[in-house]
Each structure stands twice: as structure tokens, then as C-alpha cells.
Amino acid sequence: MAGPSFVMYESEFHEIAAVIERLCQEANSKVVFLVDKNGQLIASAGETEDLDTTSLASLTAGNIAATGGLAKLLGEKEFSILFHEGERDNLHITIIASRVILVVIFDERSSLGLVRLRVKKAGEELAKIFERLVQKAEADGGASSPFAEITDDDIDNLFSE
């Protein structure tokens, strides 16, 4: 279920960070983070100091992969929105543009309706940014990674005496 990696440019990263920061405020949520389908954290906003965001990102991607398996068993392409309700905190997970995962953690200060409304708007903005990223990467020669020409031998030589 993991998707291909992509190149992140600084200008688009700042746009993404601004969108999720605004989403965190407008949804009155505790934390918002964006993860790629491989479990790599792209950006986060809110009360992240006490969270293990790396583990949360990996587990979120695993959750999406497992749910994708369930969807296929039921003849669905995917379940694009997941919601987990806890005693104190709730988790709203959305797949954006079939590429990245938007996670919103919220408590009693917000509501599922408000989060869904704000996520829909932010998701549209993020989808446009990721579409532009794909176009920009293709215009830059279609290189999938700036590290593509680095070989294992280059890395071994770098760390050898």
C-alpha cells in the first residue's frame, strides 16, 4: 500500500505547513499532522511536544494499509476517511489526493462535524499543492529523487576510512 516517494520543495513545504497550522486553529484541534503513505512525517502543527510523532506517523500509515486491505475485501478501492473515538481524544484520518494522510487529533473542545468541515477545505488546498508538486517534479526532468544517482558504493566510500 506504500506509495512512491516524492520530492518536496521548500516553497510547497511552507504552504503545506501553513495549511495544517490553519486547520489546527480553525478545527480547534490538539494536533494536526501530515504523513506520506510510507509513514514518513511531512509536517505537523499543534501540541506535538508530548507526542511521539514518528511512531504515530508509522502507525497511521499501517492503519491506512490495513484498512485498505479491508476495503479490497469488500470490493472498495479504499476507505478515504477513518474516525477513532477515544475517552479523551479522537482521531480523524483522511487520505488526500491518494498520496498523503491527514491526521487530526481533537478532544471535547471541538466536534466531529467541525473537524470534517475544516478537513474538507484543507484537503482541497493540500490536493492542489501536491498536484503542483508532481507537475514541478516532472518539469524538473522527472527525477523521482535528487539522490537517485547516488549508489551504495558511493555511501560505502563515504563512510570508509
Side-chain angles (χ1 to χ4, degrees):
M1 196 80 182
S5 59
F6 52 87
V7 175
M8 178 66 67
Y9 295 91
E10 186 173 352
S11 60
E12 281 77 13
F13 174 76
H14 290 300
E15 286 183 58
I16 290 167
V19 169
I20 66 168
E21 181 70 38
R22 189 171 51 250
L23 171 61
C24 190
Q25 292 173 358
E26 291 179 353
N28 205 20
S29 62
K30 292 175 71 175
V31 179
V32 175
F33 60 96
L34 192 66
V35 180
D36 73 9
K37 284 191 167 181
N38 296 319
Q40 295 292 316
L41 180 66
I42 297 172
S44 63
E47 305 165 16
T48 59
E49 304 83 31
D50 296 329
L51 278 179
D52 180 357
T53 53
T54 303
S55 296
L56 207 52
S58 296
L59 291 170
T60 299
N63 189 353
I64 289 294
T67 305
L70 289 171
K72 284 184 180 171
L73 287 174
L74 298 175
E76 294 286 333
K77 181 179 173 196
E78 66 184 5
F79 293 122
S80 60
I81 298 174
L82 304 174
F83 174 68
H84 299 282
E85 184 175 356
E87 288 183 25
R88 291 175 295 145
D89 294 329
N90 307 303
L91 206 59
H92 186 277
I93 302 171
T94 310
I95 300 172
I96 305 292
S98 300
R99 294 180 184 277
V100 293
I101 306 162
L102 180 64
V103 181
V104 178
I105 301 173
F106 64 99
D107 58 16
E108 74 279 349
R109 294 177 289 173
S110 189
S111 69
L112 179 59
L114 177 63
V115 169
R116 289 186 73 169
L117 179 70
R118 299 301 186 193
V119 163
K120 184 176 180 184
K121 180 182 172 192
E124 292 169 358
E125 292 178 57
L126 290 169
K128 288 178 186 173
I129 294 169
F130 279 97
E131 182 61 35
R132 215 171 45 245
L133 266 172
V134 169
Q135 291 171 352
K136 201 171 180 177
E138 289 173 355
D140 284 349
S144 61
S145 168
F147 307 108
E149 51 189 55
I150 298 174
T151 65
D152 289 342
D153 289 337
D154 292 335
I155 295 170
D156 289 342
N157 289 336
L158 183 66
F159 292 106
S160 66
E161 292 181 50

